[in-house]
Amino acid sequence: LAGRYHRMTTPAKPSPTSSPRETAASSDRLALWITYLNIVLYALCYQLQRPVEPFLVEALSHKAGDDGATSISQRYGQLNSFFSAIQTVGSPLVGIMLDRIGIRYASALVFLASTISYAILAKSTDLTLLFISKIPTALQHAFLVAQATAATTTRGDAAARAQALGRMTTAYTIGATIGPALGGYLVDTLGDLYLGARLAVVGSLFSVFLSLWFLPNVSQPNNSNKNHPVRSQSFLEDLKKSGEMAMRSSLWPLLVVKVLGGVSASMLSTAMPLVLTQNLKFDSSQLGMNMSSSMFAVAAFGAVAMAPLASHVGPAGMARIGLLCRALLETTLASIVSTASGNDLHGVLRVAFVSILYALSSHALATGLTTQTTGVVDKTEQGALLGLEHGLFSLARIGAPPLSTYLLSKGSFWYVAGACSLIDL
């Protein structure tokens, strides 16, 4: 009996038949699931601010004595442009850090930067502090870390990589579905424009803990040799290598498409909140629900349809379908906005429906392009590639917001939608 009791209460030893491949697969799954959770928190914290930001810019502009709608639109465009400029500087550095210090510490630094940004935002009582709050976002690239995790844990399997990237986007959209609706609700019910930022500080700190406690270094999932030599290249050498990588014949056409697609998406995303709040008189809850409905649709699509779509039409086909659908939907959205008569339910529902279709098209485009680019570089270059991509995408968004607000001030939303449609085609 004593022997039987001892056998029952002694923890089971690892199976001697467990192979290194099974151990690595288990580590890969853990890294992916922790990353999914981090991305949910990252999106939730970031998207809490999205429906609030136009109203915060308006309130701080009024406080500074800038009361005109054109002036407010320009301030909003300048804020988005400044944010993109900061991210352009930081994203290649995050990509290099992924290759040099690993997923664990790069992820922790990303979320620490988010914590600092939201802490400053929570204290932004004037436009200067609002702009300063964007400076720490130079390292706020959690989705880049997530993409690197997906690329390094799927071990060269294109279908598995597409599925993991789709799930990463799904994780983001789960948080992004809750974030705008919650952010708009908090403003409408409590009248506090800064509560979302304070909540985001707590969420980002939790992700710092998750990253340090659970995530592996980038080399661990792919390399069983724990004594892998540390790279001795400088950051400048790494940046030069990233530039050389961008010029490869297998990469630069895809990167050009990403940049042009980023310009179009940034122009539309800058104009839409302004048009909906100023022309259609959306309040913060309606703006938040419009954003959330699009994100929810993308989450559902990514969870069940991304892998079958990738297998059926391939990554290149997904990108082409996404571009064509976006071009059509941009003009459709302009038609709806121009014919809507104020803040009526029918107009709100039509805007939400077309916004959902546009978000799905953008999701297919982004996943298709990223699946292609990560498939044509070596595993040791994944972090640098993703940093380069995010840097180029942020660079594209520097000039897009001012251009979008300029077209709005000189004409109508048709000008913006027409320009976006031409770019996507």
Side-chain angles (χ1 to χ4, degrees), residues 270-282 337 408 413:
T270 299
M272 279 301 294
L274 297 173
V275 170
L276 295 181
T277 56
Q278 294 178 5
N279 295 8
L280 273 65
K281 306 303 180 184
F282 275 36
V337 168
L408 278 178
F413 184 59

Side-chain angles (χ1 to χ4, degrees), residues 114-160:
S114 298
T115 302
I116 297 170
S117 173
Y118 295 135
I120 298 173
L121 177 60
K123 299 294 184 180
S124 296
T125 53
D126 56 50
L127 287 168
T128 300
L129 277 176
L130 183 60
F131 275 78
I132 291 174
S133 73
K134 302 299 182 183
I135 294 176
T137 65
L139 299 181
Q140 193 177 10
H141 295 280
F143 204 77
L144 191 159
V145 178
Q147 288 177 313
T149 306
T152 57
T153 56
T154 52
R155 301 176 182 273
D157 187 333

Side-chain angles (χ1 to χ4, degrees), residues 165-412:
L165 290 170
R167 287 176 175 174
M168 293 295 179
T169 305
T170 300
Y172 182 90
T173 50
I174 289 172
T177 298
I178 301 171
L182 179 60
Y185 172 80
L186 291 174
V187 172
D188 279 354
T189 57
L190 302 178
D192 189 346
L193 292 171
Y194 301 100
L195 178 58
R198 293 194 290 271
L199 293 175
V201 170
V202 177
S204 298
L205 282 175
F206 184 55
S207 287
V208 172
F209 164 76
L210 290 176
S211 300
L212 292 174
W213 193 262
F214 292 105
L215 292 185
N217 287 326
V218 70
S219 61
Q220 290 176 355
N222 294 304
N223 195 342
S224 59
N225 180 11
K226 296 182 188 258
N227 297 316
H228 191 274
V230 178
R231 298 168 57 200
S232 59
Q233 290 188 146
S234 67
F235 274 96
L236 289 178
E237 290 171 327
D238 280 329
L239 287 173
K240 180 181 177 182
K241 183 179 178 181
S242 295
E244 293 171 349
M245 185 190 306
M247 299 308 296
R248 294 177 188 173
S249 59
S250 59
L251 269 181
W252 74 261
L254 297 171
L255 295 177
V256 168
V257 174
K258 278 208 166 191
V259 169
L260 293 177
V263 170
S264 173
S266 182
M267 289 178 64
L268 195 73
S269 64
T270 299
M272 279 301 294
L274 297 173
V275 170
L276 295 181
T277 56
Q278 294 178 5
N279 295 8
L280 273 65
K281 306 303 180 184
F282 275 36
D283 58 30
S284 55
S285 291
Q286 289 176 318
L287 185 59
M289 286 302 300
N290 184 68
M291 295 176 177
S292 291
S293 61
S294 298
M295 293 298 181
F296 177 77
V298 171
F301 179 78
V304 301
M306 185 54 66
L309 181 62
S311 300
H312 184 65
V313 302
M318 291 168 58
R320 294 189 189 100
I321 291 171
L323 285 170
L324 178 61
C325 290
R326 286 201 339 178
L328 296 174
L329 291 167
E330 284 152 357
T331 54
T332 303
L333 193 57
S335 177
I336 293 173
V337 168
S338 63
T339 57
S341 56
N343 191 343
D344 63 285
L345 180 61
H346 184 58
V348 170
L349 292 177
R350 287 195 299 166
V351 168
F353 178 70
V354 178
S355 297
I356 287 172
L357 295 179
Y358 180 85
L360 293 177
S361 301
S362 295
H363 182 35
L365 170 63
T367 303
L369 288 174
T370 302
T371 302
Q372 291 180 82
T373 56
T374 55
V376 297
V377 299
D378 188 81
K379 291 180 181 179
T380 60
E381 299 175 320
Q382 299 283 1
L385 169 67
L386 293 171
L388 174 65
E389 288 186 358
H390 282 248
L392 290 174
F393 186 72
S394 297
L395 181 64
R397 293 184 296 171
I398 293 176
L403 177 59
S404 180
T405 55
Y406 173 80
L407 291 174
L408 278 178
S409 66
K410 294 300 181 181
S412 67

Side-chain angles (χ1 to χ4, degrees), residues 327 330 417-425:
E330 284 152 357
C420 293
S421 183
L422 287 174
I423 293 171
D424 283 338
L425 285 176

